[in-house]
Amino acid sequence: MNKLILVSLSLVSSIVLANTEEELRNIETLNRWGEIWIDGNYEIIDEVVNPVYIRHEPSGTIHIKREDYLKRLKSMQKANRRFTTQSLSADGDLIWTRWTRIREHSETHEVIHSRGLQVYRFEDGKLAETWWSHTEGQGAWPDSELLN
């Protein structure tokens, strides 16, 4: 199949090579995930996220019901934050991203830079599982010297 598509999401604006219909569908789902996470379009969560979402976070693994995760998202939406995704790659039911986040601390109003790596797994076109790791205070990811 090999479709070269331009992905312009709340999470990423990038050119991505989708090798299969499954990868294309998962990229589209990630785009819709950005509508929830960044834009607060909570009405579409049933179409985008599995009934139980598995999150492998730095603090441990959680299995969270979609309804409970929605409450968590709504509480985090108050934060003033911006995301930039430097890299995105699709491989079957997985998508990985390399991202930078800038947010304002809710109490001190200090600007905090974070950067991370995140892998998303999809089932039947819905977000099923995520692995992520991040650091705070490191600034944005530097551009690769290989790209210069």
Side-chain angles (χ1 to χ4, degrees):
M1 177 187 132
N2 285 344
K3 280 190 179 176
L4 186 63
I5 59 171
L6 175 62
V7 180
S8 181
L9 349 158
S10 298
L11 294 175
V12 64
S13 290
S14 184
I15 295 176
V16 179
L17 181 64
N19 292 306
T20 66
E21 291 296 327
E22 176 188 29
E23 290 174 1
L24 181 60
R25 181 179 61 186
N26 293 340
I27 292 167
E28 290 168 350
T29 299
L30 185 62
N31 185 28
R32 299 197 75 210
W33 172 240
E35 292 177 33
I36 297 168
W37 176 250
I38 304 299
D39 303 331
N41 185 6
Y42 304 121
E43 296 77 28
I44 64 172
I45 196 163
D46 290 348
E47 303 165 26
V48 176
V49 180
N50 265 3
V52 175
Y53 179 31
I54 304 167
R55 292 185 53 86
H56 305 282
E57 301 178 349
S59 59
T61 297
I62 61 170
H63 293 70
I64 189 165
K65 291 182 182 175
R66 184 171 44 214
E67 302 79 28
D68 294 333
Y69 193 60
L70 181 58
K71 291 176 190 172
R72 185 175 170 185
L73 284 172
K74 287 180 177 179
S75 72
M76 291 188 298
Q77 189 64 33
K78 298 172 189 172
N80 182 10
R81 63 178 186 252
R82 291 191 330 259
F83 280 88
T84 302
T85 300
Q86 286 84 11
S87 304
L88 181 145
S89 180
D91 183 16
D93 65 349
L94 299 174
I95 292 177
W96 73 267
T97 61
R98 178 176 59 102
W99 52 263
T100 299
R101 175 182 67 193
I102 301 169
R103 70 179 177 90
E104 183 178 296
H105 190 280
S106 60
E107 295 174 10
T108 66
H109 303 287
E110 173 188 6
V111 174
I112 301 170
H113 291 78
S114 304
R115 59 186 181 188
L117 300 171
Q118 193 154 350
V119 178
Y120 302 89
R121 185 178 64 80
F122 298 83
E123 288 179 0
D124 300 319
K126 291 186 178 183
L127 184 57
E129 192 168 10
T130 298
W131 295 262
W132 70 280
S133 180
H134 79 285
T135 61
E136 289 199 352
Q138 301 295 315
W141 287 103
D143 287 335
S144 172
E145 292 179 13
L146 295 174
L147 299 177
N148 295 328

